[in-house]
Structure formats: C-alpha cells, structure tokens
Amino acid sequence: MSRFSQLVAATFVKCTGFTYSNMARLFIRLFVGVMFMQFGIRHLVSYDSIADSFPTVFNWQSQTCLILMIIIELVCSLFIMVGFLTRLSVIPPIITMIAAEYYIINKLVPQLSVWGLDATDPGYLPIMFIGIYLYILLAGPGKISLDYFISIFLISRDGKDEKEELEEV
C-alpha cells in the first residue's frame, strides 16, 4: 500500500470514526441561543412601538404577552447557552414557536400572511426553532454545560461514581 493510500485511509477513518458530540451540542446551544435572544433584544428595544399590537393568547393584554415573550426569549436563551436547566429551558421556547406557527398559518397577524410554500415564507422560522429545540431536548446539554458540572458535583458529593450514575453523555 502506498504512502498516499495510507494517508487517505487514515484521514478517512479519523474523520468518520471520531465524533465531537459535546462540541456539537455546545455549538447548537450557542447558535440557537444567540438567534433566539436577538428576537428578545429587538422586542425589548422596540417595546413602545409594538406593545399594543403584539399578538395575544389566553385573552391577556398585548403588553403582558410581550413582556412574557421577552422574558422567555432572553432568560431561556441565556440558560440554553450556558447549559443550565437545559431540557427545561427549551420547553417555553417550543411552546412560543408553536403559538407563532399557529398565528402564521391561520393568518391571525396580518403582516405575517403566508401565501405559498417557498423559502421566503415566515412560517419556516418557527418550525426551524422547534426542530432545534427538540434536538436539544432529546440530546441533552452535553459535557460542556453547567448541567453536567452540577451533576458531577452532586454525584461526587454523595460519594458515587460518575460512570455508574450518568449514562454516556
């Protein structure tokens, strides 16, 4: 076997066989956290101009719904990015994105009407967020997270072994 063939084979095996799942989970948490947090910052900055026209749920006032949405967008995004209570922190954004998709599909917000199924429709954005949040919910935060470090601290405090207590993270 030639040296080039050995190099190609070794490179192929290394690129295929090694996974960086914890880095990938950190990346997806940071990515979706920053992307969702920007909505919260935009809502916070333009609060006065959108407070009276923000969509409502449960017959709440627009201002109440907007404040709740800003809290969800900022706090949950921050918790997801640092990996604190990660699986619980993705539930409120999933619910808000389901509500956003409902409003878009049913044309309840006139400026977000959906005309057809192409890549420019606003309905794809909530679905994308739902997919990413469901991935995080299933995959968990990974080892590069506060959740993991807190778990390790609690396990070691009780004198238990990490391998016995935690499934492969």
Side-chain angles (χ1 to χ4, degrees):
M1 192 177 233
S2 72
R3 202 168 221 358
F4 178 73
S5 298
Q6 290 174 337
L7 180 64
V8 169
T11 303
F12 186 77
V13 169
K14 294 260 190 233
C15 290
T16 306
F18 290 92
T19 62
Y20 302 98
S21 63
N22 291 306
M23 290 294 284
R25 290 187 228 179
L26 173 64
F27 170 79
I28 200 74
R29 285 193 347 257
L30 292 174
F31 174 77
V32 78
V34 168
M35 295 304 291
F36 202 57
M37 188 177 275
Q38 74 173 327
F39 291 108
I41 292 169
R42 288 180 189 173
H43 285 148
L44 189 61
V45 169
S46 59
Y47 178 84
D48 292 332
S49 63
I50 62 174
D52 294 327
S53 62
F54 196 77
T56 62
V57 293
F58 306 124
N59 292 325
W60 293 350
Q61 292 181 338
S62 292
Q63 295 88 351
T64 306
C65 290
L66 180 57
I67 290 169
L68 182 63
M69 189 64 183
I70 291 170
I71 291 170
I72 289 171
E73 289 167 341
L74 295 178
V75 173
C76 290
S77 292
L78 181 64
F79 280 11
I80 290 167
M81 287 190 296
V82 298
F84 180 68
L85 300 174
T86 308
R87 286 187 163 136
L88 293 175
S89 296
V90 297
I91 294 171
I94 288 173
I95 293 169
T96 60
M97 290 296 100
I98 290 171
E101 186 63 26
Y102 173 79
Y103 272 85
I104 291 169
I105 288 174
N106 292 303
K107 301 176 186 171
L108 299 176
V109 181
Q111 65 268 25
L112 294 178
S113 61
V114 177
W115 299 102
L117 293 176
D118 63 21
T120 61
D121 287 339
Y124 283 101
L125 193 60
I127 291 172
M128 180 198 69
F129 275 110
I130 291 168
I132 294 171
Y133 287 131
L134 287 174
Y135 170 79
I136 293 171
L137 185 67
L138 293 172
K143 287 185 175 182
I144 309 171
S145 66
L146 284 178
D147 288 342
Y148 181 75
F149 294 125
I150 292 169
S151 297
I152 294 300
F153 170 75
L154 295 173
I155 289 169
S156 65
R157 183 190 69 182
D158 294 338
K160 298 178 182 173
D161 183 35
E162 173 190 348
K163 295 195 186 281
E164 292 175 9
E165 293 295 318
L166 292 177
E167 186 178 323
E168 178 80 19
V169 177

